[in-house]
Amino acid sequence: MKQNSTKSLKWLTGVAGFFCLIAVVRMTTQTLGFFFGHAVAQRAVWIDGIELFQGSIAIFRWLGGIALFGLLIAFMLNSIKGLNNGVLFPRKNISILFCAAAISFVFFFCNTNISMVLGERVFKIDITEILVPAIICTFAIMYKVAVNVSEENSLTI
């Protein structure tokens, strides 16, 4: 049973890592294109007075995406390592989940407003920026309870 779960999780981690890598390469290409005009169809349209905000959106979208995908892979690798060591819920994953919630807000906020980098003059905030971090935090809290129960059960004789 343990080996089958670990094998499935390894496969899922590989697939997720592959798609995360594709997304990071795409975002990197877009971000470089915004500033330098290479490899993308549309270059940034700088609006007087908010150029710094536009640049920040592009940079933090890129950094947030890399961090969010990195945290996702770290969570999965910690889970695999934990299963191999007989730990169902590794404690390290709690902080990874809370960090992922914060980073997801930054990433989704910047991703929603990336159209500002392309010259749109509308500032947007969507339900995604609130809902995704809230769901991740809920999962992190439940995961923390599971870690505590798991540790308590392992001490019971």
Side-chain angles (χ1 to χ4, degrees):
M1 176 74 175
K2 181 180 116 177
Q3 186 63 17
N4 192 22
S5 298
T6 305
K7 186 176 180 181
S8 298
L9 193 54
K10 285 178 183 177
W11 181 84
L12 183 61
T13 302
V15 170
F18 175 74
F19 285 112
C20 288
L21 184 63
I22 290 173
V24 166
V25 168
R26 182 178 167 267
M27 281 191 301
T28 301
T29 305
Q30 283 180 334
T31 303
L32 290 173
F34 291 148
F35 293 106
F36 303 113
H38 301 297
V40 290
Q42 199 164 10
R43 193 173 176 159
V45 178
W46 303 110
I47 301 170
D48 290 334
I50 62 167
E51 296 98 345
L52 183 63
F53 184 63
Q54 287 176 294
S56 297
I57 286 174
I59 296 295
F60 283 115
R61 175 181 170 252
W62 177 64
L63 293 174
I66 290 172
L68 186 59
F69 296 139
L71 288 169
L72 169 70
I73 298 303
F75 177 85
M76 295 176 90
L77 289 174
N78 279 338
S79 296
I80 291 169
K81 192 171 19 170
L83 281 175
N84 286 336
N85 294 332
V87 178
L88 189 56
F89 298 103
R91 184 166 282 284
K92 287 188 233 179
N93 283 346
I94 298 170
S95 59
I96 289 175
L97 286 170
F98 281 116
C99 288
I103 294 294
S104 70
F105 175 79
V106 172
F107 172 70
F108 285 116
F109 174 78
C110 293
N111 200 44
T112 298
N113 289 294
I114 199 69
S115 57
M116 287 186 78
V117 176
L118 301 174
E120 190 174 303
R121 296 176 184 261
V122 177
F123 175 77
K124 299 178 254 182
I125 190 151
D126 200 8
I127 189 73
T128 308
E129 289 88 15
I130 306 302
L131 192 59
V132 171
I135 290 170
I136 294 172
C137 280
T138 302
F139 182 72
I141 291 168
M142 292 177 1
Y143 194 92
K144 184 177 180 180
V145 170
V147 167
N148 291 336
V149 168
S150 177
E151 288 175 351
E152 202 172 284
N153 284 342
S154 69
L155 295 175
T156 305
I157 297 175

